[in-house]
Amino acid sequence: MLDPNLQRERMVQRQIADRGIRDPYTLAAMRQVPREEFVAPSLREFAYEDSPLPIEAGQTISQPYIVALMIAEAGIRPGERVLEIGAGSGYASAVMAAIAKEVYAIERVPELARLAGERFERLGYDNIQVRVGDGTRGWPEAAPFDAILAAAGGPSVPDALLQQLAPGGRLAMPIGSTRDQQRLVLVTRTENDRFVQKELGAVRFVPLIGEHGWRDDAPVTMAEPARRVRGRGDVSQGIHGLIRAAAEPLPDFSDPAFGKMFDRFADARVVLLGEASHGTSEFYRARDAITRRLVETHGFRIVAVEADWPDAASIDRYVRVAPAKRPPEPAFQRFPTWMWRNTDVDRFIDWMRQHNEPLPRDRQAGFYGLDLYSLNTSIHAVITYLDSVDPEAATIARRRYGCLTPWSKEPAQYGHMALTAGYAVCEEAVTKMLQSLLSKRLEYSLKDGESFFDAEQNARLVRDAEAYYRAMYYGSAESWNLRDTHMFRTLQHLLDAGGADSRAVVWAHNSHIGDARYTEMGQLREELNIGQLCRQQFGDQAALIGFGTDQGTVAAASNWDEPMQVMRVNPSLAGSYERLFHGAGVERCLVDLRSGQHPELRERLTESQLERFIGVIYRPHTERWSHYTDAQLPRQFDAYVWFDRTTAITPLTDEHGRGVPETWPFGV
Ligand code: SAH
């Protein structure tokens, strides 16, 4: 679990201060209140996300930025008395209570009021009173108030509330002519008893239900969660026909026509093939068919995947019909093993081996890992290499890498230690190690260029992993960015090593290969990815191909390091791209999204929708919050491959004909 204090600090900086909120009282209060205490335990990991979250009774806890904006605009000051309408989780009340003298909070749903009251007591907020009731009438016995905040949107500002404002008092409230779309207004009661109104922009809150609000004609549990401000019209009208018109049906995976459909991308330097989960067979089989075609017919000789360098290196020896290392270094032993040890990957690497067998090494296709989770194995690989070429240098490597050894089992702990120590304890050692290896490139490469390249990549990986584990401790964008930058640089080294006409196919999750600038990753979280970096580097010479599905089964775990299960994938949510494609009624297809293709469809799809991302973890019960984010699909990808129904991969076991799985792929 990431340190909530750090996450909170970062939330205040990135989501609030960087967006222009300067009020020191608001910033200090947002730094104090533990937001994770105001959401259900299953949603704690999202407590510092830049979004509203669901709470009990179908209501929401507002987005941190919106809470801060309202409090800052209302200018709440020490000594003041404040009324909140719509206490919900109690979070906003707690933030105000950290500034003001007294906070009065009204909540319509008894269960929410009770839970909020319990939280205040447990966390020691003794200056908040909560009561159940209709907040549109205010709290006349406690009036007047210096500030009133409404956390739900009504058709107009209730007169009763204006009357309960003290002279000089401020009221912030979402107002709108429909139940679910509003603009935020700030009303100030001047000293000479006039009301001055200021507009603060479009927002989306849950409806304010009561005598001077909306009528209670829907059960509260039906309320839509409040969403960030952004257009999300109903684009489904007519769009199904546009999707059908653009959809090119996909043949069987074993039909050579499948791969041929992707010939249009064969001029690219890099073809990036995504996946919408790490455990769906159709995505693997499609990537297999496309990659075969690119390798066999179009001269692609690099297959670079979202796996660690040393694991992939052992597969590389297999596909090149080279002997396994002695002692064997088993590949993909760690969670999530099924991502690579599955029957689809097994079939693919067997095909690579057959393809390579008659070819000289420089015309063979190689299998490489772009990821950086193999700190230990990579350290070991560098030392073993140096033992064989330069034992003296190996001794120095042992000493330098020794800095990280105490944390070899739990590298994340290294990040914590470095943070506590206040400096990057092992950075110098791992950087020097890479430098001294590179300075001997000529000398070492003369002996064996391939082995040097492998050692070099491992030394780079160790250098980047050291930084990654330090950044990870802060959570959010930095560690992700270090990881994807490492992936991109590794790809570049591979392309460089392959010469001017080298070309690569990349297999990685949609979240890595779909241009991050057109998803929440880039737009809200300052995250970049390998797809974006490839586009920036190669322009039209990078083809970003995304994958999607509506429902079926998937191989995934409930939590990290827990066993794989075959889980049912929920039908996609309304408001998502998946729902649009499902609605079009196409079973499996390719949609070309490059500019010039299907302009009307692309324009319609550019209106941001939700998109589902399932990784190695799948949590169907909190699916909206765990797996969906906003995206602009036609900008994120150059093409989209759709399978309406999909099935889980089959993990390799003894029965799959390879003898002891530990030594896969080499067998015993
Ligand atoms: N500030 C809260 C936001 C909760 S959402 C938080 O940060 O958690 C808005 C809340 O307003 C909901 O809990 C809803 O039940 C409540 N609400 C709606 N109409 C209301 C009314 N007339 N009086 C009091 N509460 C109301």
Side-chain angles (χ1 to χ4, degrees), residues 55 59-62 84-92 106-109 112 133-136 151-152 206-210:
I55 55 176
Q59 301 300 316
T60 60
I61 175 170
S62 310
E84 185 185 29
I85 294 152
S89 66
Y91 175 68
I106 311 178
E107 172 53 54
R108 179 177 163 261
V109 179
L112 292 177
D134 175 5
T136 64
V206 295
L208 179 74
I209 291 165

Side-chain angles (χ1 to χ4, degrees), residues 467-546:
Y468 173 80
Y469 286 113
R470 269 188 290 119
M472 201 176 88
Y473 203 73
Y474 291 98
S476 79
E478 249 155 65
S479 58
W480 172 276
N481 290 350
L482 283 168
R483 181 176 168 214
D484 271 55
T485 305
H486 172 83
M487 291 169 89
F488 176 69
R489 285 207 208 121
T490 309
L491 179 67
Q492 266 188 321
H493 290 304
L494 287 166
L495 287 165
D496 291 346
D501 62 350
S502 63
R503 266 132 22 101
V505 189
V506 172
W507 289 22
H509 196 276
N510 282 351
S511 56
H512 292 292
I513 69 98
D515 192 329
R517 289 170 295 180
Y518 303 105
T519 68
E520 275 186 21
M521 291 169 59
Q523 291 171 349
L524 293 178
R525 300 204 295 266
E526 297 172 46
E527 288 171 353
L528 48 74
N529 65 9
I530 185 169
Q532 170 186 344
L533 295 171
C534 280
R535 262 197 189 158
Q536 288 170 331
Q537 176 77 25
F538 302 112
D540 289 348
Q541 295 286 292
L544 279 45
I545 304 181

